[in-house]
Amino acid sequence: MTNGFAADVLICGAGAAGLTLGIELARRGMSFRLIEKMRGPFRGSRGKGIQPRTQEIFEDLGILDKVVAAGGVYPPLRVYSDDGSYTEKDTGERPDPTPAEPYHIALMIPQFLTERIMRERLAELGHRVEYGCELVGFEQGENGVMARLAGPNGEQTVRAGYLVGADGGRSFVRGTLGLDFPGKTLGVRAIVAAVLLTGLDRDAWHQFNDGDMERMVAICPLAGTDLFQIQAPIPLDGEVDLSVEGLGRLITERTGRADVQVDSVAWASAYMMNARLADRYRVDRVFLVGDAAHIHPPTGGQGLNTSVQDAYNLGWKLAAVLGGADDCLLDTYEEERRPVAESVLGLSTRLLDAQKQGGMRRGREVRQLDIGYPDSPLSRELAERSSGLRAGDRAPDAPVRGAAGQPSRLFQLLQGPHWTLLVREAGRETVGPRQGLHVHYIGPQGDIIDAWGHLRDAYALAPGECVLIRPDGYVGAITILDADRTAKLEIYLGCMGVVQPEEESK
Ligand SMILES: Cc1cc2nc3c(=O)[nH]c(=O)nc-3n(C[C@H](O)[C@H](O)[C@H](O)COP(=O)(O)OP(=O)(O)OC[C@H]3O[C@@H](n4cnc5c(N)ncnc54)[C@H](O)[C@@H]3O)c2cc1C
């Protein structure tokens, strides 16, 4: 056994959750290792739907345009009847974008492409995944975690300040912590496969025997590739044949179409649907993110999105605590994210029930734009507000102009690892300048011009009010900048590790 190099954070698992956390830590200059037990990148595609809230996060991470360019939008659902005729409908509502919600419909991109783009972003930031490196044991001490890693050159021990289990539904980290993963098995077993096939158009998501759990099969062209994704429920027990012949037979039996031929199988898997939630997301210096913390059926396309958003929530908090913020900031990760997973479990299970009846319809809730943390200890409302935006809400976008006249957007100003304070028509005696905080003034002599009133519509700030936006794009506080409340805001920022340099504060 040798000693490997130490890191502030050891991330176990390089799926979407681990990669997002890696990007978040990398762009804050933190030291971390991102290990993955597989020898190379995941080649399959389970999660293919990227919801609008995740698109906003991808914009912040600097990968949205690449994801859009590599993927596409969902085609209409083509629902076939037994006689071969079909009707077409949308996969869900298709609302128009608004100034506050610029991304409005789910994107489709196979998981392996999303993860590839994330790895490329990580490389731009000077980091990479360590493949063929498996976490095989760990112990927690007062100041860190000792982890045992197994790789091609044997075992090594490494010391890390924190360990994050981003290691999927069968999480080794969760198991080693001895955490319960209560919930239920949903009595549905299914296959998911990525194949090359002939006989079906690529302009529709083909659904046969909708609502019949014994004969249903859905075949979706995977945007950005020549592949189709096959999804189908299968009997609870017994062998599954995932070969070209086996999948071809399944398609012929369920569609009645001899012209649909599977030519090759790129990746295939059979899985049992479960809805489970870990009892805890944190045990001292060890955290769970993504499927390691929650699993649920794929209906509604929520799993990868929720996993990315877990990591996005934890990343800035870990970096802040490593940089000197109060440790209790890390408790808010579970406080904020576990209730979100709880409601996602409910949503995806309800959609699965609807699918069994052949009537699944995705509404606004799948877009994840209304997720917020109003009950979080981090959400402070220091101004009297009876309506409009509240602390804990997602910070909406708003097209604005810079004082120099150039078009801009609030999301452009928020992009990056900093906090943002937006101040409406107040003097310059707000909180002092400090690393990690960008302050913008709206109004006469301000650096932002609310040229079209979109900031007013979305934020409804009264003169003298300000809104403090967290690095993950949620409202931390809304307040008036009088002496008392400015002092409170200073304390709040101090707890987050956003402090004024000493010589400035004197
Ligand atoms: C059919 C299907 C369709 C789906 N569709 C959608 C969708 O449309 N939208 C959506 O949001 N989600 C969808 N999902 C869910 C989505 O695929 C998962 O939620 C997502 O992959 C979770 O990401 P993760 O990073 O948490 O875990 P994973 O992707 O499982 O990654 C965990 C990684 O950890 C590694 N690992 C495990 N143990 C160790 C160890 N000891 N040491 C080192 N590495 C380890 C694994 O090899 C793996 O690479 C779907 C799922 C299925 C099955």
Side-chain angles (χ1 to χ4, degrees):
M1 181 121 50
T2 56
N3 283 332
F5 66 92
D8 284 338
V9 183
L10 176 65
I11 309 171
C12 173
L19 286 163
T20 302
L21 186 60
I23 295 171
E24 279 295 79
L25 295 177
R27 64 184 188 150
R28 290 174 168 84
M30 310 311 312
S31 89
F32 67 92
R33 291 180 66 176
L34 173 50
I35 60 161
E36 168 56 57
K37 71 177 179 184
M38 289 192 303
R39 294 251 171 100
F42 176 57
R43 306 251 164 239
S45 186
R46 295 176 290 157
K48 62 182 179 303
I50 305 295
Q51 303 296 345
R53 177 60 189 144
T54 308
Q55 293 170 41
E56 295 180 350
I57 290 165
F58 282 0
E59 180 177 3
D60 182 37
L61 299 182
I63 59 173
L64 179 64
D65 290 332
K66 296 230 161 88
V67 168
V68 174
V73 293
Y74 275 81
L77 281 177
R78 187 172 292 174
V79 184
Y80 292 84
S81 307
D82 283 344
D83 64 5
S85 64
Y86 60 79
T87 53
E88 282 195 358
K89 59 181 181 185
D90 270 334
T91 43
E93 296 160 6
R94 287 189 185 247
D96 288 331
T98 66
E101 293 177 355
Y103 311 117
H104 51 124
I105 51 171
L107 285 174
M108 196 218 287
I109 173 169
Q111 192 163 337
F112 65 86
L113 285 181
T114 305
E115 293 181 1
R116 182 192 297 170
I117 292 166
M118 287 178 161
R119 284 193 303 274
E120 286 168 2
R121 179 74 184 117
L122 203 58
E124 285 173 3
L125 295 163
H127 290 265
R128 64 178 181 83
V129 176
E130 294 176 50
Y131 285 106
C133 185
E134 180 172 359
L135 179 72
V136 292
F138 64 87
E139 276 171 21
Q140 298 208 51
E142 228 169 75
N143 300 316
V145 182
M146 289 301 292
R148 276 190 301 123
L149 310 183
N153 303 323
E155 276 200 16
Q156 52 172 295
T157 51
V158 298
R159 198 193 156 280
Y162 296 94
L163 167 67
V164 181
D167 50 347
R170 297 202 174 104
S171 175
F172 170 79
V173 173
R174 189 186 66 234
T176 306
L177 289 172
L179 290 179
D180 266 351
F181 200 37
K184 55 185 178 184
T185 300
L186 298 169
V188 179
R189 189 176 175 221
I191 57 157
V192 54
V195 303
L196 287 176
L197 61 71
T198 46
L200 288 174
D201 297 334
R202 292 192 67 82
D203 59 358
W205 184 350
H206 308 271
Q207 307 244 333
F208 298 86
N209 309 310
D210 195 22
D212 177 344
M213 294 303 278
E214 282 172 13
R215 295 168 58 233
M216 195 162 28
V217 61
I219 306 174
C220 184
L222 279 175
T225 72
D226 295 331
L227 297 164
F228 283 85
Q229 185 184 55
I230 305 175
Q231 287 177 266
I234 52 171
L236 289 177
D237 302 305
E239 289 286 302
V240 206
D241 186 351
L242 297 172
S243 66
V244 169
E245 295 74 28
L247 291 174
R249 212 162 32 243
L250 180 140
I251 288 180
T252 311
E253 280 165 15
R254 297 195 182 191
T255 63
R257 294 212 9 204
D259 60 319
V260 183
Q261 295 287 330
V262 176
D263 297 323
S264 62
V265 180
W267 175 84
S269 160
Y271 67 101
M272 197 69 90
M273 291 191 197
N274 276 276
R276 297 183 180 276
L277 181 60
D279 269 352
R280 295 168 66 186
Y281 278 24
R282 175 186 191 184
V283 178
D284 303 326
R285 292 180 160 268
V286 183
F287 296 83
L288 298 178
V289 292
D291 276 17
H294 44 76
I295 48 167
H296 35 85
T299 31
Q302 302 287 288
L304 183 148
N305 290 273
T306 308
S307 302
V308 164
Q309 289 174 46
D310 286 345
Y312 191 61
N313 185 291
L314 180 60
W316 69 268
K317 294 175 182 174
L318 270 175
V321 170
L322 283 163
D326 291 357
D327 177 83
C328 61
L329 179 58
L330 289 172
D331 287 332
T332 67
Y333 164 63
E334 174 177 322
E335 286 163 352
E336 294 185 343
R337 292 303 300 170
R338 198 170 172 281
V340 170
E342 215 162 8
S343 80
V344 167
L345 252 61
L347 170 64
S348 52
T349 309
R350 278 197 306 282
L351 289 172
L352 177 66
D353 289 339
Q355 191 181 50
K356 287 180 190 166
Q357 315 300 320
M360 185 175 79
R361 181 126 190 102
R362 296 170 161 148
R364 181 175 165 90
E365 68 275 25
V366 300
R367 280 178 245 145
Q368 303 195 331
L369 290 166
D370 299 322
I371 289 173
Y373 311 122
D375 301 325
S376 166
L378 298 185
S379 302
R380 306 280 171 84
E381 232 151 284
L382 302 174
E384 303 300 318
R385 283 171 83 84
S386 54
S387 62
L389 195 73
R390 309 297 292 262
D393 286 347
R394 160 190 162 277
D397 195 10
V400 292
R401 272 196 195 286
Q406 77 281 24
S408 182
R409 285 165 61 221
L410 190 59
F411 277 6
Q412 255 169 273
L413 302 174
L414 301 185
Q415 189 176 16
H418 54 272
W419 290 73
T420 305
L421 187 68
L422 290 179
V423 185
R424 178 166 170 213
E425 289 174 36
R428 299 271 147 179
E429 56 294 336
T430 67
V431 293
R434 63 200 63 205
Q435 190 178 359
L437 176 71
H438 292 188
V439 184
H440 296 285
Y441 296 90
I442 314 152
Q445 306 299 310
D447 58 315
I448 297 180
I449 316 245
D450 189 16
W452 304 278
H454 295 311
L455 264 179
R456 177 201 59 218
D457 294 348
Y459 286 81
L461 293 177
E465 278 187 347
C466 69
V467 56
L468 180 65
I469 301 173
R470 302 171 11 166
D472 57 355
Y474 289 88
V475 175
I478 302 185
T479 188
I480 296 173
L481 285 172
D482 59 19
D484 174 42
R485 281 173 278 205
T486 301
K488 286 185 173 143
L489 204 59
E490 296 266 5
I491 294 168
Y492 179 98
L493 283 166
C495 294
M496 305 298 145
V498 184
V499 286
Q500 222 174 345
E502 264 176 29
E503 63 278 16
E504 297 267 350
S505 55
K506 279 179 194 150

